[in-house]
Amino acid sequence: MTTVLIIAKEPVPGRVKTRLTPPYTPQEAAALAEAALADTLRAALAAPVRRVRLVLEGRPGPWLPAGVEVVPQCPGGLDERLAAAFAGCSGPAVLIGMDTPQVTAGLLAPALGPNAWQDCDAWFGPAVDGGFWALGLARPEPELLRGVPMSTPETGREQRARLLARGLTVRDLPVLRDVDTARDAALVAREAPPGGRFAALVDRLTPAGAR
């Protein structure tokens, strides 16, 4: 079975979701980051996976549910940290971030089902901003990520091209929006499934006239 890797930062005010400030305060932005991470972990735990591993910058807190393995992020750029996350796996792995709290076990199902790796070497989830929100590899190869420029409008295109250049058969997951700005937060909250912490917190923090 597949391992789900979630790469995240400890939700500390002033260190996470800084582009949400303003209009949100640093404390509110950190609360939104915690809610997004909690919803992402819940979705992963609801999926049929081998393990859920949180690759964390910082320390775990009371927001961490039972059943999640925690490992520290390595030093270096984001490409090195993603590569190291895959390097720690011995079988198929799907990596997602904490920026898409609208993710559900159903959205992840194609990459985690019993036939996910039949005639398939990689799964790719593009993001609206040009990046990617999910990357799955049947055989973790860290070199597929090292050197890919991260956090640019071309990141997703370049990462997918790297997979194809390696001769991998790539299947796509749906396009999702990352939460980077307050506008993103509002749009993602509308897409999130009922009962999630992120959407409820966005609703509580956003003035009625601004929704």
Side-chain angles (χ1 to χ4, degrees):
M1 295 180 72
T2 300
T3 295
V4 170
L5 302 166
I6 299 171
I7 190 158
K9 291 182 179 180
E10 179 186 0
V12 176
R15 292 180 56 193
V16 293
K17 295 298 168 201
T18 54
R19 291 175 62 189
L20 294 179
T21 306
Y24 299 106
T25 68
Q27 291 73 24
E28 290 172 339
L32 287 167
E34 179 178 324
L37 179 54
D39 286 351
T40 304
L41 291 168
R42 183 177 69 168
L45 287 169
V49 297
R50 179 183 180 187
R51 68 170 67 90
V52 176
R53 177 178 290 172
L54 176 63
V55 186
L56 182 65
E57 179 185 316
R59 297 176 297 177
W63 42 264
L64 182 70
V68 177
E69 175 186 345
V70 181
V71 297
Q73 288 186 31
C74 77
L78 181 56
D79 62 320
E80 291 287 345
R81 287 179 278 144
L82 298 184
F86 277 107
C89 297
S90 58
V94 173
L95 182 142
I96 60 177
M98 59 180 286
D99 297 333
T100 50
Q102 71 273 47
V103 71
T104 63
L107 280 172
L108 292 171
L112 300 175
N115 298 318
W117 304 108
Q118 183 175 340
D119 301 321
C120 176
D121 303 306
W123 286 91
F124 188 78
V128 170
D129 64 3
F132 61 92
W133 67 270
L135 177 64
L137 297 173
R139 291 171 297 281
E141 296 183 52
E143 291 305 319
L144 288 170
L145 292 108
R146 291 193 178 107
V148 174
M150 296 289 165
S151 303
T152 79
E154 302 299 319
T155 294
R157 183 185 63 80
E158 295 204 24
Q159 181 62 75
R160 197 174 191 283
R162 180 78 68 90
L163 302 177
L164 295 173
R166 182 69 173 79
L168 303 184
T169 300
V170 181
R171 294 180 183 170
D172 291 315
L173 292 166
V175 179
L176 292 185
R177 179 182 295 275
D178 287 340
V179 175
D180 291 321
T181 65
R183 179 175 180 272
D184 293 330
L187 292 172
V188 167
R190 294 173 195 165
E191 299 171 359
R197 285 180 53 182
F198 181 82
L201 186 57
V202 169
D203 187 62
R204 192 169 81 239
L205 294 177
T206 305
R211 294 175 195 165

